[in-house]
Amino acid sequence: MLDQAAREHLSNVLKPVAPPRELENVYTPDQHARLLDVVRQNGPWKLILAQHFASAEELVATLSGGFPEGVTPTLDMFLTPTFRGFYANYSSCLFPEISDCFYNDKFLELAKSYWGAQYAKPQMMLFNVNGPCANNDPGHLDSPSFRGIRYENSPTWLCSVMGKSGLFKDHLIKMAQVITWFSHDGSSGFTYWPEGPLKAPRRLQPPIYNRGVLVQNEMMMHRGEANGPLDQQRPAGLAFQTLFSGDPTSSDHWLLKTGDQVIARHHTDELRFLVHWSAEVFEDFAELKKNMDGSDDLTHDRVFDTLIKDVRSRGIAIETPTDPLRDPLFIRSLHAAYDGGAPAQYPVEAPVSPLQLQAA
């Protein structure tokens, strides 16, 4: 366990460039309908958990707080029915019917104003969707991007540890997100720590239907919240292979299926549907050029050398692994070195349960 001074240092690293700005009526009804129709027409969709993590150690490295001594985490501990798909990636819209949502002039102006920057380009757009769902997430970072090391070419856990460490700020790519929720649940909101995880959290209060935030989620601890009736939040039969899709018999319903078995069926009004739009932002043309021409890129070898030297300089033993991208013991050691512990407080309205990545 890190001492208080070390925890406070790491907490101060995890602050966005500015507090999130709340947004209202983010998408038009027509845009919302088209975004949801892409989900219906192009499923089925996999669990978030099944897409991004090869081990429990990789997942835990993105979260805040660890496990009690003697408890070995397994991916089963984090299993909840939250599903993900991508609308756009590599600055390209994957579905032309929602191109106006991705190549969004209003969002680009918001991103530039958030940073006080001259240039921005849309980078990625995804959705998370679930029916009634538990949330065991104590707080996590979205995957930061660095010149040369990005979510497209590196594991989520590594990008998260690099962000938490504070060692690569000079290579951090400025980003801004417009994150929007569509949920009728009167108790499900969004918790975030804009002053660092050791400071008091804030909350986007429910209901959050077509409401959102302009934010730098890669450098701010945050968590979505559980939604729906408690007895439906963990459906029997849920597994890593469970898929989410539209119900072919009803345009208003959705199915969770494990193999051929339907384990849950939900009306559209029961969904918590999140749309995450992300842009890269550049202070000026010099920064834009540096980000695009690869002249100041990190490499995996350089990153691991920097992390290992820093951990050892603080008197913490760490082995040099043969497969640093996947070695569970190495990942666990780095997480311990740069984890400031679970956030100190939660709002009364948003109690936390054990741990899961649902997110936003």
Side-chain angles (χ1 to χ4, degrees), residues 125 165 230 260 344:
M125 190 175 188
S165 75
L230 188 62
D260 293 331

Side-chain angles (χ1 to χ4, degrees), residues 70-90:
V71 176
T72 301
T74 66
L75 281 174
D76 290 19
M77 295 177 180
F78 303 89
L79 191 61
T80 58
T82 309
F83 303 84
R84 170 170 292 175
F86 285 81
Y87 289 122
N89 220 335
Y90 303 102

Side-chain angles (χ1 to χ4, degrees), residues 142-263:
D142 287 356
S143 184
S145 288
F146 304 83
R147 289 191 295 278
I149 305 294
R150 308 169 55 95
Y151 73 90
E152 296 99 334
N153 66 14
S154 303
T156 300
W157 77 263
L158 176 60
C159 294
S160 183
V161 166
M162 289 172 66
K164 290 178 184 180
S165 75
L167 297 173
F168 304 97
K169 290 184 291 186
D170 290 343
H171 288 82
L172 181 70
I173 296 175
K174 295 179 174 69
M175 300 195 78
Q177 294 79 37
V178 173
I179 301 175
T180 309
W181 293 265
F182 294 89
S183 171
H184 293 291
D185 190 306
S187 61
S188 182
F190 173 64
T191 310
Y192 58 95
W193 285 260
E195 300 300 325
L198 295 187
K199 302 293 186 180
R202 299 181 189 174
R203 190 182 188 217
L204 180 65
Q205 298 286 342
I208 53 174
Y209 193 87
N210 203 11
R211 295 177 59 217
V213 289
L214 172 67
V215 66
Q216 184 194 14
N217 255 8
E218 300 94 347
M219 294 305 293
M220 182 185 74
M221 283 290 176
H222 60 276
R223 61 183 296 268
E225 297 175 8
N227 66 286
L230 188 62
D231 62 354
Q232 298 180 35
Q233 291 183 2
R234 297 181 186 275
L238 181 67
F240 292 104
Q241 299 76 30
T242 300
L243 300 173
F244 179 90
S245 63
D247 184 343
T249 69
S250 169
S251 61
D252 292 325
H253 287 84
W254 306 80
L255 302 178
L256 275 65
K257 294 179 69 175
T258 303
D260 293 331
Q261 180 185 7
V262 175
I263 64 168

Side-chain angles (χ1 to χ4, degrees), residues 23-314:
L23 305 172
E24 305 283 342
N25 300 315
V26 182
Y27 293 97
T28 68
D30 174 65
Q31 287 175 324
H32 172 244
R34 285 185 280 122
L35 288 165
L36 202 56
D37 192 58
V38 168
V39 180
R40 178 171 292 277
Q41 298 301 327
N42 296 277
W45 306 96
K46 295 181 180 180
L47 292 165
I48 293 178
L49 195 64
Q51 298 183 49
H52 295 289
F53 304 102
S55 68
E57 285 79 9
E58 292 188 19
L59 175 56
V60 171
T62 72
L63 304 173
S64 56
F67 279 76
E69 188 172 347
V71 176
T72 301
T74 66
L75 281 174
D76 290 19
M77 295 177 180
F78 303 89
L79 191 61
T80 58
T82 309
F83 303 84
R84 170 170 292 175
F86 285 81
Y87 289 122
N89 220 335
Y90 303 102
S91 293
S92 298
C93 185
L94 304 179
F95 302 97
E97 58 266 45
I98 51 107
S99 61
D100 61 313
C101 300
F102 181 60
Y103 302 114
N104 191 314
D105 288 340
K106 176 184 174 182
F107 289 1
L108 288 170
E109 291 304 316
L110 285 171
K112 288 188 289 185
S113 71
Y114 184 65
W115 279 91
Q118 293 186 37
Y119 304 106
K121 70 181 182 74
Q123 172 61 22
M124 182 270 289
M125 190 175 188
L126 61 77
F127 66 85
N128 295 341
V129 65
N130 54 262
C133 184
N135 184 2
N136 306 324
D137 178 9
H140 70 274
L141 297 182
D142 287 356
S143 184
S145 288
F146 304 83
R147 289 191 295 278
I149 305 294
R150 308 169 55 95
Y151 73 90
E152 296 99 334
N153 66 14
S154 303
T156 300
W157 77 263
L158 176 60
C159 294
S160 183
V161 166
M162 289 172 66
K164 290 178 184 180
S165 75
L167 297 173
F168 304 97
K169 290 184 291 186
D170 290 343
H171 288 82
L172 181 70
I173 296 175
K174 295 179 174 69
M175 300 195 78
Q177 294 79 37
V178 173
I179 301 175
T180 309
W181 293 265
F182 294 89
S183 171
H184 293 291
D185 190 306
S187 61
S188 182
F190 173 64
T191 310
Y192 58 95
W193 285 260
E195 300 300 325
L198 295 187
K199 302 293 186 180
R202 299 181 189 174
R203 190 182 188 217
L204 180 65
Q205 298 286 342
I208 53 174
Y209 193 87
N210 203 11
R211 295 177 59 217
V213 289
L214 172 67
V215 66
Q216 184 194 14
N217 255 8
E218 300 94 347
M219 294 305 293
M220 182 185 74
M221 283 290 176
H222 60 276
R223 61 183 296 268
E225 297 175 8
N227 66 286
L230 188 62
D231 62 354
Q232 298 180 35
Q233 291 183 2
R234 297 181 186 275
L238 181 67
F240 292 104
Q241 299 76 30
T242 300
L243 300 173
F244 179 90
S245 63
D247 184 343
T249 69
S250 169
S251 61
D252 292 325
H253 287 84
W254 306 80
L255 302 178
L256 275 65
K257 294 179 69 175
T258 303
D260 293 331
Q261 180 185 7
V262 175
I263 64 168
R265 183 174 186 263
H266 303 300
H267 191 277
T268 299
D269 288 347
E270 298 176 90
L271 299 182
R272 178 176 164 121
F273 177 46
L274 173 152
V275 180
H276 174 128
W277 178 92
S278 189
E280 294 185 7
V281 181
F282 312 101
E283 182 177 350
D284 52 27
F285 185 78
E287 185 173 67
L288 170 61
K289 184 176 184 298
K290 183 165 59 176
N291 275 263
M292 294 297 113
D293 66 14
S295 61
D296 188 36
D297 281 4
L298 293 167
T299 65
H300 286 110
D301 286 345
R302 181 178 169 186
V303 167
F304 288 125
D305 285 347
T306 301
L307 289 169
I308 290 170
K309 287 177 183 176
D310 182 67
V311 172
R312 288 176 178 165
S313 74
R314 294 188 280 128

